[in-house]
């Protein structure tokens, strides 16, 4: 069953991941880690102006809860990741 990882990124990494800036080593490592866990970063519906103001969480979809837990643990160790936690698929629409 699909599961999710909710992640909060530092602004500089967030801008790289969403394509607003060229990716640094950290941004590239983040994307590589997602790929290794068969994960997909879901797009945000927030505008660029809204993104600059508040804490922003991103939702990452993974095939199952085991990979979600593994991905969240890997992301927590990365520079530029403020927090990462998992949610079972039935808890998010």
């Amino acid at each position: 069953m699909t599961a999710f990882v909710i992640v909060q990124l530092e602004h500089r990494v967030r801008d790289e991941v969403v394509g607003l800036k060229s990716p640094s080593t950290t941004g590239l490592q983040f994307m590589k880690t997602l790929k290794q866990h068969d994960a997909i970063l879901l797009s945000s519906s927030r505008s660029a102006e809204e993104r600059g103001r508040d804490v922003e969480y991103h939702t990452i979809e993974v095939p199952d809860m085991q990979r979600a837990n593994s991905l969240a643990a890997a992301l927590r160790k990365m520079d530029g990741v403020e927090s990462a936690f998992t949610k079972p698929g039935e808890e998010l629409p």
Side-chain angles (χ1 to χ4, degrees):
M1 173 178 279
T2 299
F4 299 92
V5 175
I6 311 301
V7 65
Q8 179 187 2
L9 303 172
E10 290 180 359
H11 286 233
R12 65 180 175 81
V13 177
R14 178 206 60 207
D15 290 348
E16 294 170 16
V17 170
V18 300
L20 297 176
K21 291 185 178 178
S22 297
S24 66
T25 303
T26 302
L28 293 171
Q29 183 62 42
F30 179 87
M31 298 309 288
K32 180 180 177 182
T33 302
L34 294 187
K35 187 174 182 177
Q36 290 170 339
H37 290 83
D38 299 318
I40 300 168
L41 180 67
L42 301 177
S43 62
S44 173
S45 60
R46 299 180 71 190
S47 70
E49 182 179 314
E50 291 172 316
R51 282 193 294 268
R53 285 190 240 154
D54 301 317
V55 170
E56 184 175 348
Y57 293 91
H58 295 274
T59 304
I60 302 168
E61 184 177 339
V62 292
D64 55 59
M65 199 63 188
Q66 181 177 355
R67 277 185 263 200
N69 288 327
S70 176
L71 175 60
L75 292 176
R76 282 186 214 109
K77 295 176 185 176
M78 290 184 65
D79 182 41
V81 175
E82 298 286 335
S83 65
F85 58 92
T86 60
K87 288 282 191 179
E90 60 269 6
E91 288 189 22
L92 292 177

